[in-house]
Amino acid sequence: MSARMYDIKEHMAVVGSDGGHVGTVDKLEGDRIKLTKKDDPDGSGQHHHYIPVSAVDAVNDNEVRLNMPAERARAAAVRG
């Protein structure tokens, strides 16, 4: 498990490399970040989506920053 995974906590904002909002951490599941349903890219708020931890560039106190722009991250998020 990557050291940065240990730093990822529930309710942290997930943002793209451009600072755009991607979602909010619901929890970690294996090597994926599960986003809250309210951040469902289709706008329905009914589904969880997942981002691989390998897409994480940095983790600070309040935020998980990805190594790709927000729009690309939202498009690449896998529905769970």
Side-chain angles (χ1 to χ4, degrees):
M1 185 183 296
S2 168
R4 66 182 161 214
M5 285 181 67
Y6 291 111
D7 296 329
I8 299 171
K9 307 291 184 217
E10 291 180 13
H11 310 295
M12 292 178 93
V14 179
V15 299
S17 58
D18 57 355
H21 183 76
V22 174
T24 304
V25 176
D26 185 40
K27 63 181 176 177
L28 283 177
E29 288 189 355
D31 61 351
R32 303 183 307 169
I33 300 170
K34 181 179 184 180
L35 301 178
T36 60
K37 288 183 180 180
K38 73 180 178 91
D39 296 308
D40 189 348
D42 71 11
S44 72
Q46 297 180 10
H47 310 101
H48 289 283
H49 281 72
Y50 296 84
I51 301 283
V53 171
S54 61
V56 175
D57 184 47
V59 180
N60 67 33
D61 294 336
N62 308 333
E63 179 179 272
V64 177
R65 183 168 293 268
L66 303 178
N67 59 13
M68 66 184 82
E71 187 174 331
R72 186 169 135 212
R74 284 190 298 271
V78 176
R79 185 171 161 182

